[in-house]
Amino acid sequence: MTRTPFLLHHLLDAADPERRALSFGDSHLSYGEFGEAVRECAAQLVSHGLSRGDRVAIYLPRGLEECWAIFGASAAGGVFVPVNVLLKAPQLRHIVSDCEARVLVSSRSLAALVEPALEGISGCTVLYVEDMAEATAPTSGATEAGIGEDLAAILYTSGSTGMPKGVMLSHRNLLAGTRIVRTYLGISGQDRILSILPFSFDYGLNQLLTVVEQGASLVICTFRFGDEIVRALRDNEITGLAGVPTIWAILTQGAPLLRKTALPHLRYITNSGGRVPEATVKALRALLGETQIFLMYGLTEAFRSTFLPPEEIERRPTSIGKAIPECEVFAVTEDGRRAAPGEPGILVHRGPTVSLGYWRRPEETARVLRPHPFRDALEGGETVCYSGDLVVEDADGFFNFVGRGDGMIKSSGYRISPTEVEEALMATGLFRHVAAIGLPDALAGQKVHAVAVPLDESIDAMAVLRQLGETIAGYMVPRALELVDALPTTPNGKVDYPTLVRDRSIHVQS
């Protein structure tokens, strides 16, 4: 008898072992081969000292190995911590150290970065997938101990201040998100989903989990140009694609092949990670014909909050929709009232996808995860998630996104900490003061822009940005470095970020 899944790796139990599960280029895994790789990975982790609840950081290039490492960590009783391979040594070191990873799973192709990054960090064993494949796995080790409320994953995401912080997700959180998304997208075992988003991003991870839950097929893709995505959609007869605003801009503006390629199998596309411009939505509808377009809103701390049904797009092209199944979403004013229709308020999320909070950051957790504002504990009140984002609900119950409430920059689906960018610039020793801000951008939603007071007028701004690319991920590097004599400040001496953004946004849009 097949058990009801309550731990992540249980999703593999019901899969047809002969059916194709994963593809990457010319490499493929059936569900039987996938399950065997997961069991071998789990046994290897346990043989290297992994105990229940230990963290397993995963720093791998896109491919099949990343998938079985995620499920293998779960099967070993561990907590998987996927790390975006675009991150550089300082960010990798921070994440491994912060989560106190017991094991780092990586590739020998990344050893030149990994080994210096982890120098001096005690208690973390590095396992390279090439060696795991060559070794003989122990015959025992993987544990079935655990319940759905146990910690399953830590996803690191940038906040408005400091280095990335880890959002804790239970097995039950992940399974609920899988079930909910599968429900409203109508995903079945017949679907073939194209994966172009990193698994360190909850949006990308959910694609892997929904595929496995339904016994469907996932095609993992890397690309440099839009036409490569179009070919992958066509050649693999893809039925579902998830993207962020930049992807849709690339496909509508930089993929000439899309205009002359029929994609009859593409049943749906989904967007999250930022608002899609109305013009881009119209272009997608014109290019993709009968393909359903789902516009969504989410945050790592609560996974996914809203979606707009495709039939509403023509009437509400700028809306983020209504609450996802099994969840409630409402807006709360600054003074704690339920916002009236048309009145801005902070989006609050209630439901089974609300995370466990931030790893070892109780004060920050308490600011985001709070008691339900309108339900007494004796009346079934529980913890809800305050997004920090301003929304407006219309008379029909549909929400529109107004703006971010925490100063964080959101570019191409990435959440970027201004402080992290500023710290990297200051570490060069070339500036007196720096400020990183997000400016409107038609392709990325926002672009990172740095404003700095240099110590020496002869600074080569472009050379500084190239140097910055060696210490932080490419998507964090400012598009431009603006040199000024002084930064505007508030009466209490703090940098006046709103003025910086307002003055430059006016210039950008004019």
Side-chain angles (χ1 to χ4, degrees), residues 22 38 136 226 241 263 322 344 396 501 503:
L22 306 169
V38 167
T136 300
L241 172 66
L263 298 172
K322 293 185 176 182
D396 297 321
V501 173
D503 291 349

Side-chain angles (χ1 to χ4, degrees), residues 122-135:
S122 60
C124 182
T125 299
V126 179
L127 290 181
Y128 293 117
V129 292
E130 295 86 352
D131 299 336
M132 294 170 70
E134 295 171 0

Side-chain angles (χ1 to χ4, degrees), residues 275-493:
R275 180 178 173 274
V276 184
E278 188 173 350
T280 302
V281 174
K282 290 180 179 178
L284 285 168
R285 293 180 67 203
L287 288 166
L288 297 179
E290 298 301 313
T291 299
Q292 293 183 309
I293 301 174
F294 290 81
L295 303 180
M296 309 185 300
Y297 164 89
L299 63 159
T300 308
E301 293 82 355
F303 172 58
R304 187 72 39 72
S305 293
T306 67
F307 80 98
L308 183 71
E311 61 270 20
E312 292 287 343
I313 283 183
E314 186 170 353
R315 287 196 298 162
R316 312 173 194 275
T318 63
S319 173
I320 59 173
K322 293 185 176 182
I324 60 175
E326 302 184 37
C327 296
E328 179 185 8
V329 170
F330 51 91
V332 177
T333 63
E334 189 174 344
D335 59 1
R337 294 179 295 103
R338 175 76 178 254
E343 183 180 20
I346 296 295
L347 183 142
V348 177
H349 177 115
R350 174 187 178 226
T353 58
V354 172
S355 71
L356 303 180
Y358 299 117
W359 172 259
R360 300 205 167 162
R361 287 171 170 81
E363 292 183 358
E364 291 183 69
T365 296
R367 286 195 289 269
V368 175
L369 303 186
R370 310 182 203 172
H372 194 298
F374 311 127
R375 292 172 67 95
D376 186 274
L378 297 177
E379 299 172 345
E382 77 273 32
T383 298
V384 296
C385 179
Y386 278 69
S387 69
D389 290 339
L390 286 170
V391 296
V392 170
E393 184 178 6
D394 68 20
D396 297 321
F398 289 86
F399 290 88
N400 276 276
F401 180 80
V402 176
R404 307 200 65 82
D406 57 9
M408 191 165 48
I409 302 168
K410 198 157 190 177
S411 179
S412 300
Y414 290 104
R415 299 171 67 183
I416 301 170
S417 164
T419 301
E420 192 174 352
V421 177
E422 291 165 2
E423 288 174 351
L425 280 166
M426 290 301 293
T428 65
L430 299 173
F431 304 102
R432 182 174 292 108
H433 300 296
V434 298
I437 57 176
L439 296 182
D441 183 82
L443 295 181
Q446 284 185 305
K447 61 182 179 182
V448 184
H449 183 88
V451 186
V453 180
L455 294 173
D456 187 334
E457 293 182 358
S458 64
I459 285 176
D460 182 342
M462 293 304 297
V464 172
L465 294 179
R466 287 193 294 270
Q467 178 184 344
L468 209 61
E470 300 298 321
T471 59
I472 61 175
Y475 62 81
M476 295 182 182
V477 176
R479 300 270 192 92
L481 174 58
E482 177 184 352
L483 305 179
V484 297
D485 293 330
L487 297 177
T489 57
T490 63
N492 60 11

Side-chain angles (χ1 to χ4, degrees), residues 20 50 70 230 262 477 493:
R20 180 175 290 183
L50 191 79
I70 286 171
V230 178
V477 176

Side-chain angles (χ1 to χ4, degrees), residues 19-22 31 187-193 210-218:
R19 186 173 178 79
R20 180 175 290 183
L22 306 169
Y31 272 99
I187 295 172
S188 73
Q190 303 308 308
D191 276 301
R192 294 172 301 281
I193 295 177
T210 51
V211 160
V212 174
E213 191 236 19
Q214 287 297 299
S217 297
L218 188 74

Side-chain angles (χ1 to χ4, degrees), residues 8 11-12 15 19 21-22 31 34 70-71 173-195 199 202-218 239-242 267-268 270 296 303-304:
L8 182 71
L11 292 176
L12 283 165
R19 186 173 178 79
L22 306 169
Y31 272 99
F34 186 18
I70 286 171
F71 278 83
N173 286 151
L174 293 174
L175 294 179
T178 300
R179 180 179 67 248
I180 289 168
V181 170
R182 171 257 293 168
T183 297
Y184 71 76
L185 292 182
I187 295 172
S188 73
Q190 303 308 308
D191 276 301
R192 294 172 301 281
I193 295 177
L194 187 66
S195 168
F199 297 134
D202 63 317
Y203 187 26
L205 176 64
N206 181 259
Q207 287 185 286
L208 171 62
L209 304 190
T210 51
V211 160
V212 174
E213 191 236 19
Q214 287 297 299
S217 297
L218 188 74
T239 62
L241 172 66
R267 183 171 62 82
Y268 73 87
T270 66
M296 309 185 300
F303 172 58
R304 187 72 39 72

